[in-house]
C-alpha cells in the first residue's frame, strides 16, 4: 500500500508463516495466474483489502458456485454480494481517511452452547487489532464483536455463506496484523504500564520485552487455579487466531470433500513437545552441580544459557558429554554493560571460545532485556544464532503467553522483511520462586491443546530453595505423562527448519481420493503425514489436531528421495 493509505489488512505475507508452520499443503498463486488457476483449486485463501479486476471477479463467482471454497481475510476484494456482506463506511469523512476499521476489540461467539467448527476452540473473547467493518446481508454471522472495553457492538466479525455448490467465509479482523502485533509487541523505548493488581510491576526503569506487550491485563488474563489473587495469560491468543484460520480451511475442506494433506508439527504423532532452559546467573559451581544432578535424574536434555564469566572447562565439558545444549545469555543488565551490538558481539565471541568453538544456536537475554524493535533478532541473525527466547515474562503477573504464542515463529520487521531467527517465548520462570507450582497444569493443558512447546525456565541460583528441584521433576514427569518429549532449543530449531524445507508437488486428485509428493531438504526421522479424514475408520491411524480428525502415517523423509502419500475418501 502507498504511504498514508488506510488499510484493513497489515502484514499480509505473514499468512505464509502461519500456513508453513502448520504444514498445510498449498501453493501461492501469482496475481497474473489467479483466474486461470481457480479450476485447479479446492480452497482459495485471500488476505487482501483491494478490489480484484472484473475478469477475476467473474471467474471467482463461477468457481465458488461450482463448488469452490473461498476464505477471505480482512477484505471483500470487491465481491460484497458473493460474500453476503456490505462494508460500512467511516462515520465521518476525513483527510487521509478511507476504509472503516474495526480498531481494537474482541471476537465473541454468539452462543457458547452452539459451537461452530471454526470457533469451537474458543472459550473466551478473542483479542484482535484492526480489520474490516461490515454488516451481513445474505451471509450468516458466526461471531459478533466487542470493543476494547468489552462492550458489545453491532459489528459481525466472522461470516459464512453457502453459494451454489460452494462456500464463502469472511474473517473480518486483520488476522495477520493481529498475530504479528501480539507476538512482536511494540518497540521498547520506555517502561510499559504495570498491571492494576500489582502482580505485573513492569514499570521498573529497566527496558525488557514485556514493556512492549500488547495483550490486556484485564481481558486476556485468567485466574491461576489454586493461587488466590494471581492471574496469568493462560490462553495463547495469537495461536488461537492461527487455529481459527486453520479450522476455517479444514471446515471448508470437510464440507466440500477436498482431500487435504499436512506435514504434522512433530515426529511420531506427538501432540506437543516440552523444553527446559536454565540461565546460569551467578555461575555458582555448587548450585550448578545440584541442578545438573536434578536434570540427570529427570532423564532429559536441556538448554543452558550461560552468562559470563561462565563456568570452568570441566563443567562445560560435562554439559556437552551429557547431551545438553550450550547457549548464550546476553547480559545488558549488569552495571557497566550497556545495550549495544558491540557488547553482544564481545559476549558471543567469549562464550564461543568457552564452548570450545562450538557454534551457538540459541540465545536468551538476561532479565529478558529488550530495547527498540528488532535489535536482538538482527544481532542473532548476524551472529548465526538460529533461535531466541527473549520475549516473555519477567514479572509473576505476566506469566503465561504474554506474547500470545507457544509456538516458535519467524519474526518480521515493520517493513515486512522476515528475519532468519526463530523466536520461542519464555512463559514463566522458576516455579515456586517466580510463580506458584499450580501455574504449570493450565500452561501444560493450553500447550497441548494448541500443539505447541511447553517452555519452562529454571535457574541454578534457586537450587537450594525448598521445593524447587521437586517442581522441576514433577513438571517433567507430567509432560511425559501427557505424551510430550523434552527437546533442547537446538533440536527445536533444527526440526522446525527441516520441516519448513519440505516442498509439496504433484498433487493429483484420484478416483478414491488424492496423492501428493513431498521432497525434503534434510532428513526428518519419523515424520508424521496427515490427511483430513472426516470419517475416521482405523483407530490406530486416527489422529486429532485442531479439533479435526486426520488419518496419520509415519515415515522418514530423506533428501533426494521424494515420498508420495495417498488418501482415500
Amino acid at each position: 500500500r502507498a504511504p498514508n493509505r488506510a488499510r484493513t489488512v497489515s502484514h499480509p505475507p505473514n499468512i505464509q508463516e502461519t500456513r508453513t508452520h502448520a504444514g498445510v499443503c498449498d501453493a501461492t498463486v501469482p496475481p497474473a495466474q489467479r483466474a486461470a488457476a481457480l479450476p485447479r483449486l479446492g480452497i482459495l485463501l485471500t488476505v487482501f483489502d483491494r478490489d480484484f479486476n472484473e475478469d477475476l471477479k467473474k471467474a471467482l463467482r463461477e468457481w465458488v458456485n461450482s463448488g469452490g471454497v473461498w476464505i477471505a481475510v480482512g477484505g471483500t476484494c470487491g465481491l460484497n454480494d458473493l460474500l453476503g456482506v456490505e462494508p460500512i463506511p467511516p462515520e465521518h469523512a476525513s483527510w487521509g481517511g478511507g476504509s472503516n476499521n474495526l480498531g481494537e476489540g474482541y471476537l465473541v461467539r454468539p452462543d457458547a452452547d452452539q459451537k461452530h467448527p471454526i470457533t469451537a476452540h474458543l472459550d473466551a473473547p478473542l483479542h484482535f487489532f484492526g480489520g474490516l467493518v461490515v454488516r451481513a446481508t445474505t451471509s450468516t454471522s458466526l461471531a459478533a464483536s466487542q470493543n476494547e472495553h468489552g462492550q458489545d457492538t453491532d459489528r459481525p466479525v466472522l461470516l459464512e455463506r453457502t453459494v451454489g455448490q460452494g462456500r464463502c467465509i469472511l474473517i473480518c479482523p486483520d488476522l495477520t496484523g493481529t498475530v504479528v502485533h501480539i507476538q512482536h509487541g511494540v518497540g521498547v523505548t520506555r517502561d510499559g504500564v504495570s498491571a492494576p493488581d500489582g502482580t505485573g510491576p513492569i514499570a521498573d526503569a529497566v527496558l525488557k520485552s514485556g514493556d512492549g506487550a500488547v495483550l490486556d491485563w484485564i481481558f486476556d488474563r485468567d485466574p491461576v487455579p489454586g493461587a488466590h489473587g494471581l492471574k496469568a495469560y493462560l490462553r495463547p491468543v495469537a495461536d488461537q487466531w492461527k487455529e481459527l484460520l486453520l479450522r476455517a480451511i479444514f471446515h471448508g475442506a470437510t464440507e466440500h470433500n477436498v482431500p487435504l494433506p499436512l506435514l504434522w508439527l512433530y515426529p511420531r504423532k506427538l501432540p506437543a513437545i516440552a523444553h527446559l532452559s536454565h540461565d546460569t546467573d551467578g555461575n555458582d559451581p555448587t548450585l550448578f552441580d545440584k541442578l545438573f544432578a536434578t536434570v540427570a535424574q529427570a532423564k532429559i536434555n536441556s538448554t543452558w544459557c550461560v552468562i559470563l564469566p561462565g563456568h570452568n572447562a570441566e563443567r562445560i565439558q560435562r554439559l556437552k558429554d551429557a547431551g545438553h545444549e550450550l547457549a548464550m545469555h546476553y547480559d545488558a543488565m549488569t552495571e557497566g554493560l550497556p545495550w549495544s551490538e558491540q557488547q553482544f558481539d564481545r559476549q558471543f565471541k567469549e562464550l564461543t571460545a568457552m564452548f570450545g568453538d562450538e557454534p551457538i544456536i540459541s540465545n536468551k537475554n538476561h532479565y529478558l532485556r529488550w530495547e527498540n524493535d528488532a535489535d536482538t533478532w538482527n544481532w542473532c541473525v548476524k551472529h548465526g544464532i538460529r533461535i531466541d527466547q527473549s520475549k516473555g515474562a519477567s514479572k509473576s503477573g505476566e506469566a503465561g503467553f504474554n506474547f500470545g504464542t507457544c509456538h516458535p515463529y519467524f519474526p518480521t520487521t515493520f517493513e515486512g522483511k522476515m528475519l532468519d531467527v526463530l523466536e520461542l517465548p519464555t512463559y514463566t520462570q522458576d516455579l515456586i520462586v517466580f510463580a506458584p507450582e499450580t501455574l504449570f497444569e493450565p500452561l501444560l493443558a493450553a500447550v497441548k491443546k494448541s500443539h505447541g512447546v511447553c517452555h519452562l525456565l529454571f535457574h541454578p541460583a534457586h537450587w537450594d530453595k525448598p521445593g524447587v528441584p521437586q517442581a522441576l521433576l514433577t513438571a517433567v514427569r507430567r509432560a511425559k505423562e501427557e505424551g510430550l518429549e523434552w527437546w533442547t532449543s537446538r533440536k527445536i530449531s533444527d526440526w522446525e527448519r527441516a520441516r519448513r524445507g519440505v516442498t509439496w508437488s504433484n498433487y493429483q486428485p484420484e478416483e478414491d481420493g488424492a496423492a501428493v509428493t513431498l521432497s525434503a531438504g534434510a532428513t526428518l526421522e519419523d515424520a508424521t503425514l496427515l490427511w483430513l479424514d472426516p470419517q475416521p475408520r482405523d483407530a490406530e491411524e486416527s489422529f486429532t489436531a485442531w479439533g479435526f480428525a486426520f488419518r496419520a502415517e509415519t515415515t522418514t523423509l530423506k533428501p533426494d528421495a521424494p515420498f508420495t502419500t495417498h488418501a482415500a475418501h
Side-chain angles (χ1 to χ4, degrees):
R1 299 288 258 174
N4 197 35
R5 180 86 177 269
R7 60 183 184 177
T8 57
V9 173
S10 55
H11 296 289
N14 195 259
I15 202 72
Q16 184 175 347
E17 164 68 16
T18 297
R19 293 173 4 232
T20 304
H21 175 63
V24 178
C25 173
D26 63 10
T28 299
V29 181
Q33 301 175 20
R34 286 172 184 156
L38 283 174
R40 302 194 303 274
L41 301 181
I43 300 172
L44 175 68
L45 171 63
T46 61
V47 188
F48 200 66
D49 62 355
R50 285 174 285 172
D51 291 356
F52 287 151
N53 62 43
E54 292 305 316
D55 289 342
L56 183 53
K57 288 180 182 179
K58 181 176 183 294
L60 188 52
R61 290 181 193 279
E62 295 173 352
W63 174 77
V64 170
N65 272 279
S66 64
V69 178
W70 177 28
I71 302 170
V73 177
T76 67
C77 304
L79 289 162
N80 304 333
D81 60 318
L82 183 60
L83 290 163
V85 300
E86 180 182 7
I88 299 175
E91 294 182 6
H92 190 280
S94 63
W95 183 86
S99 302
N100 203 349
N101 199 292
L102 285 170
E104 185 176 356
Y106 294 82
L107 177 150
V108 183
R109 287 206 322 250
D111 189 342
D113 295 328
Q114 297 179 0
K115 293 186 176 182
H116 190 280
I118 299 178
T119 58
H121 63 303
L122 301 178
D123 51 13
L126 187 59
H127 206 157
F128 62 73
F129 296 86
L132 178 69
V133 182
V134 302
R135 69 175 183 86
T137 53
T138 56
S139 61
T140 300
S141 174
L142 305 180
S145 64
Q146 295 176 342
N147 64 23
E148 62 180 309
H149 304 292
Q151 300 167 321
D152 292 336
T153 78
D154 59 357
R155 297 173 168 186
V157 290
L158 179 63
L159 304 106
E160 183 177 32
R161 181 177 183 238
T162 300
V163 184
Q165 300 178 55
R167 184 178 305 262
C168 293
I169 298 169
L170 175 61
I171 302 171
C172 293
D174 177 8
L175 190 148
T176 51
T178 292
V179 167
V180 170
H181 192 55
I182 294 173
Q183 290 183 166
H184 293 54
V186 297
V188 177
T189 58
R190 60 185 66 202
D191 270 338
V193 178
S194 296
D197 59 3
T199 63
I202 60 175
D204 59 0
V206 177
L207 300 184
K208 56 213 170 295
S209 60
D211 288 315
V214 299
L215 290 178
D216 193 88
W217 292 116
I218 304 298
F219 297 116
D220 294 321
R221 292 193 303 169
D222 297 294
V224 176
H228 179 71
L230 179 63
K231 292 184 177 181
Y233 294 98
L234 302 181
R235 289 171 279 120
V237 176
D239 293 341
Q240 290 182 324
W241 275 112
K242 299 174 211 173
E243 181 170 344
L244 185 144
L245 176 69
L246 294 172
R247 282 173 170 265
I249 294 170
F250 302 151
H251 170 60
T254 299
E255 292 296 318
H256 295 271
N257 297 314
V258 179
L260 182 64
L262 281 80
L263 174 59
W264 179 236
L265 297 165
Y266 313 112
R268 297 176 292 281
K269 297 199 294 186
L270 295 174
I273 58 173
H275 167 61
L276 181 63
S277 65
H278 315 291
D279 301 347
T280 69
D281 307 357
N283 292 310
D284 184 297
T286 301
L287 296 176
F288 170 99
D289 292 345
K290 291 181 178 180
L291 174 56
F292 183 87
T294 303
V295 177
Q297 183 180 349
K299 298 180 180 179
I300 64 171
N301 291 122
S302 55
T303 295
W304 294 66
C305 302
V306 180
I307 194 170
L308 290 173
H311 286 287
N312 62 26
E314 184 275 330
R315 286 186 171 82
I316 294 297
Q317 190 60 48
R318 203 191 314 167
L319 289 173
K320 289 184 180 181
D321 292 344
H324 300 304
E325 177 190 5
L326 292 165
M328 179 175 179
H329 198 37
Y330 166 57
D331 184 6
M333 182 71 176
T334 300
E335 186 176 357
L337 298 179
W339 179 267
S340 72
E341 184 176 358
Q342 290 73 23
Q343 279 294 333
F344 191 97
D345 180 69
R346 178 187 68 81
Q347 294 177 35
F348 174 84
K349 290 176 178 175
E350 290 186 21
L351 287 168
T352 300
M354 181 182 297
F355 300 163
D357 292 328
E358 180 177 296
I360 296 175
I361 300 301
S362 306
N363 171 70
K364 185 192 297 117
N365 291 349
H366 183 36
Y367 199 67
L368 302 182
R369 283 277 283 112
W370 195 276
E371 292 192 28
N372 304 315
D373 187 27
D375 285 0
T376 292
W377 291 326
N378 285 323
W379 298 343
C380 285
V381 171
K382 189 172 181 178
H383 289 79
I385 292 174
R386 300 169 72 81
I387 186 167
D388 178 71
Q389 303 179 353
S390 303
K391 290 284 189 180
S394 67
K395 301 292 191 290
S396 298
E398 293 179 293
F401 315 107
N402 63 326
F403 285 95
T405 184
C406 56
H407 287 259
Y409 65 91
F410 283 103
T412 183
T413 65
F414 175 74
E415 296 79 15
K417 176 186 176 183
M418 188 169 289
L419 301 174
D420 188 19
V421 57
L422 287 163
E423 180 63 33
L424 177 65
T426 298
Y427 321 133
T428 183
Q429 302 184 33
D430 312 69
L431 296 175
I432 294 179
V433 177
F434 178 84
E437 193 173 2
T438 56
L439 172 67
F440 176 71
E441 287 297 335
L443 287 184
L444 176 61
V447 166
K448 188 175 180 181
K449 180 180 178 182
S450 187
H451 309 299
V453 181
C454 188
H455 177 190
L456 296 183
L457 164 62
F458 280 95
H459 295 76
H462 298 305
W463 231 244
D464 273 344
K465 292 183 172 63
V468 176
Q470 186 57 48
L472 185 155
L473 293 172
T474 300
V476 169
R477 174 181 58 80
R478 282 291 299 118
K480 288 181 178 179
E481 289 173 351
E482 294 296 324
L484 280 63
E485 294 181 0
W486 289 82
W487 290 12
T488 64
S489 183
R490 178 195 295 266
K491 185 173 181 178
I492 292 170
S493 174
D494 288 347
W495 177 265
E496 180 67 16
R497 290 169 180 274
R499 273 186 69 249
R500 289 169 180 256
V502 172
T503 58
W504 302 90
S505 62
N506 301 322
Y507 179 95
Q508 295 292 336
E510 296 181 337
E511 184 176 349
D512 62 343
V516 69
T517 299
L518 298 91
S519 300
T523 299
L524 282 173
E525 294 282 349
D526 297 327
T528 302
L529 308 181
L530 305 179
W531 283 93
L532 191 61
D533 192 9
Q535 297 179 330
R537 291 168 291 277
D538 189 327
E540 186 175 335
E541 292 183 345
S542 182
F543 182 77
T544 300
W546 297 299
F548 285 77
F550 294 84
R551 179 178 65 79
E553 64 177 311
T554 299
T555 188
T556 294
L557 300 176
K558 298 180 179 180
D560 303 318
F563 179 83
T564 299
T565 176
H566 298 262
H569 282 307

